[in-house]
Amino acid sequence: MSRGVFITLEGIEGAGKSTVVQWLGEWLRESGRTVRVTREPGGTELAEQVRRLVLEHGRERLSAEAETLLMFAARAIHLDNLIRPALAAGDWVVSDRFTDATRAYQGAGRGVDGAWIETIATRVHAGLAPDCTLLLDLPVAVGLARARARRGPADRIEAETEAFFERVRAGYLALELREPQRIRRIDATAAVPAVQAQVRAALAPWLTGAGRP
C-alpha cells in the first residue's frame, strides 16, 4: 500500500483556514478518498491538552522558546497517534497548520532562532514533510478585521499586535519563495468559490496521482 497524501493549510488569523479545511475534507471524501481532518497544535486528546497550555492566558510567563517546545511536543504526539498511522494506512491527512506555522509564528513572529527550530523539526519528524501546503494569504489588516468580527475572547496568540502578524505573514511568504513546489499561495481575499477553485488547481497533481509520494 502506498503512503497517503499529507496536505497542510497555513496562514495568519482570519485567512479562512478552518473553513477551507472542513470543505476540503468533505470534497475529498465525496471523491472516494479516506480523509483525516485535523489541526495543530492539537489533533489528539493529549495534544489538545498541550494546545490549552500554549493558547490560554495564564499567570506565568511563557517564553518564546518554551512556546516553541510546547508546539513541538504537541506535534510529536499528533504525529505518533494520528498523522503517521493515517498516512501508513493510505489515508489523506488534511491538517490546519504544521511546522510551517512554527517557522512563521515562533520564528519570524517571535524571533526564535530558525536553525534551532529546524534542529527540533528534524528530530520530531525527520523524513516527513507535507506533500503540499496551501498558504492562504491576505493582508494583515483584512485578516485581523475578519478574525475580530467573528470570534469571542482572543487567545494568547490571537491577542498579539498587528506588527507581530506582519512579521508572521512575511515569514510565510519567505517560506513560499524558498519552497515554491511544495507551498502554493492561495488568494484568501477572493470569494469562497474562487478560493475553492484555487485549492482544486493546486492539488491537481495529487488528485490525478502525478504528485503522489
Side-chain angles (χ1 to χ4, degrees):
M1 178 183 295
S2 61
R3 178 173 80 74
V5 178
F6 186 20
I7 306 298
T8 58
L9 284 87
E10 299 285 355
I12 63 168
E13 315 308 306
K17 291 182 297 73
S18 299
T19 299
V20 175
V21 163
Q22 293 305 316
W23 163 78
L24 180 55
E26 293 170 6
W27 180 63
L28 290 171
R29 291 186 189 104
E30 289 171 358
S31 69
R33 293 167 174 85
T34 301
V35 185
R36 299 293 301 272
V37 172
T38 188
R39 71 174 183 176
E40 288 208 347
T44 73
E45 183 179 356
L46 182 56
E48 289 288 334
Q49 293 180 41
V50 181
R51 177 189 179 89
R52 288 192 290 274
L53 293 175
V54 173
L55 298 182
E56 288 180 356
H57 295 278
R59 289 177 293 182
E60 294 184 57
R61 177 178 177 271
L62 185 66
S63 71
E65 289 76 17
E67 183 179 271
T68 302
L69 291 169
L70 286 170
M71 290 292 189
F72 274 110
R75 183 163 299 130
I77 295 165
H78 191 202
L79 283 159
D80 288 346
N81 292 281
L82 192 155
I83 294 176
R84 288 189 188 277
L87 292 174
D91 299 345
W92 284 56
V93 174
V94 178
S95 182
D96 183 343
R97 301 198 189 281
F98 192 60
T99 300
D100 289 320
T102 307
R103 294 170 175 131
Y105 277 77
Q106 283 72 48
R110 301 219 187 277
V112 174
D113 181 65
W116 186 62
I117 290 174
E118 296 308 320
T119 297
I120 303 171
T122 299
R123 295 298 298 267
V124 170
H125 56 89
L128 177 63
D131 296 298
C132 182
T133 296
L134 304 169
L135 173 57
L136 275 62
D137 180 56
L138 77 175
V140 169
V142 176
L144 293 183
R146 284 184 184 178
R148 288 164 183 163
R150 68 171 185 244
R151 73 182 179 212
D155 64 34
R156 283 183 61 257
I157 293 178
E158 291 170 343
E160 278 291 348
T161 65
E162 187 167 333
F164 170 82
F165 289 110
E166 290 287 1
R167 295 193 298 274
V168 172
R169 184 190 183 205
Y172 272 131
L173 294 176
L175 288 170
E176 181 209 2
L177 289 175
R178 194 169 76 196
E179 295 188 62
Q181 295 305 309
R182 175 176 69 85
I183 302 176
R184 310 298 175 89
R185 188 161 67 92
I186 306 296
D187 178 8
T189 65
V192 171
V195 170
Q196 293 173 346
Q198 292 176 73
V199 169
R200 285 192 291 265
L203 293 181
W206 290 272
L207 296 169
T208 61
R212 291 187 65 86

